[in-house]
Amino acid sequence: MTKDQKKFYITTPIYYVNDKPHIGTAYTTIAADVLARLHRQLGEEVFFLTGTDEHGAKIAAAAETAGKKPQEFVDEISAKFSLAWDQLGIAPDKFIRTTDQEHISAVEKFLNQLKDSGKIYEGEYQGLYCVGHEAFIKESELVNGVCPDHKTKPQLLKEQNWFFKLSEYQSFLQEQITNRDFDIQPEARKNEVLSFIKQGLEDIAISRPNVKWGIPLPWDKNQTVYVWVEALFNYCSAIGYGQDDENFKKFWPADVQLMGKDIIKFHCVIWPALLTAIGEKIPKKVFAHGFFTVAGEKMSKSLGNVIDPNDWVAGYGADAVRYFLLREVPFGQDGDVSEDKLKVRFNGDLANGLGNLFSRTTNMIEKYLDGQIDNFYKSPKDLSEASEALYNLDFAHGLVKIWEEVAWANQLIDKAKPWELYKTDPGKVKELLLNLAALLLDIALKLSPVMPETANKIRSTLEGGDIKKAKPLFLKI
Ligand code: MSP
């Protein structure tokens, strides 16, 4: 990293390996990949982290149900995540697994530091534990005696635990969030966190005596560290905490932590407090996106409507899935997705829109210019409104802006009628086609963080490729 080169550290949650990837977990990871690619395009030194969360009672139970040893079970499912991301064109700098020895060593070091900080103590806790959430749940949150999200009855636990003095961080957190040193977006999520903090923070148990599938506390081997505390620390262990200080210093704190709105309390309350206790900086920004429903219904295993991203990639290609998810629902809001909706966008925006513009332009270049566009003008562009929107995580708006240009260019061709104009003014047709080629290249540049494969095809065809061999970008389905 040169002196003035900016660094950009972006993370996704690490996903539970009790189940394979779905369209919701793909969403966060695609968004992070887009930001990583965009910041790289701007010359920043980027570190993009994703991975899998493999310890705890929930995973141990899933392994047992599958009749497998925990390690064997997590190896299999973690590989499915890694493969699914690969299929979606997602290229993280690191895919962390919490069963990695490096992570385990970093967590041990972190726990020792936490103990030295004087912010933890031993005590007894009695409460209702929801294994689905891997968290204690209040009686008042139950609906008909069950967790409303997981539809399961929580366990009543009475345990000896080690506690973290979260209650001491109330005013610190309020201050950091209000003055935006710790920026929580969108605004509604920030307000949600602030009102939660205002109700008063209680100390939290950070260890579990009866969960064997986890990392033992270095000073009390009868307890394993609470899986959320362990998991949150992945953001530090992945960049070398306790092992590669130089790299850790280079990238910490995280610039953007992406996640779904369901897990903001862990990331916006517990996480910054733990970091502060051990004297580390807190992340700069958390952005929480909304939740998908599928054709109007909550996505759930019992309804059988969970969408496997691999199925959509097989039918429509990675770029189309990336485009669809980011275009269909404004980032930060809840929204509905379905294969029908994907098909509409594929045939409309992609095949008839961008695909048509590309085919018409390359066909005409072949027909009227014999495929020759050697020295056409390539305009260097500042950060356009579209790229700026992507930069600010307003993906849908950025894509709308790009597609306005696509529509404009298609209309320009309709109006100019090059096939007639060629008979009277071939010079004008040449000018038009060179401009269209330049516009397509500009579109490819802006689009490449979202649709890297498509952008490459456009670029390699127009820049020195053989236009006569240009293939359609999208075939209507
Ligand atoms: N393991 C924890 C995170 C630990 S991070 C230190 C976890 N894992 S998870 O597998 O349950 O993944 C949760 C994430 O998946 C959510 O934050 C969200 O990003 C995404 N989604 C899960 N279901 C979703 C939808 N239906 N819609 C959109 N995103 C959803 O929590």
Side-chain angles (χ1 to χ4, degrees), residues 14-16 22 24-25 28 53 228 235 260 262-263 289-292:
I14 46 171
Y15 304 109
Y16 284 130
H22 57 66
T25 44
T28 330
D53 190 354
W228 262 103
Y235 303 128
D262 54 331
I263 52 177
H289 63 71
F291 257 51
F292 286 146

Side-chain angles (χ1 to χ4, degrees), residues 119-139:
K119 301 291 182 198
I120 61 172
Y121 61 93
E122 214 176 355
E124 196 183 70
Y125 193 80
Q126 178 168 332
L128 297 169
Y129 194 83
C130 170
V131 176
H133 273 114
E134 284 286 21
F136 284 100
I137 183 166
K138 292 203 176 98
E139 186 131 29

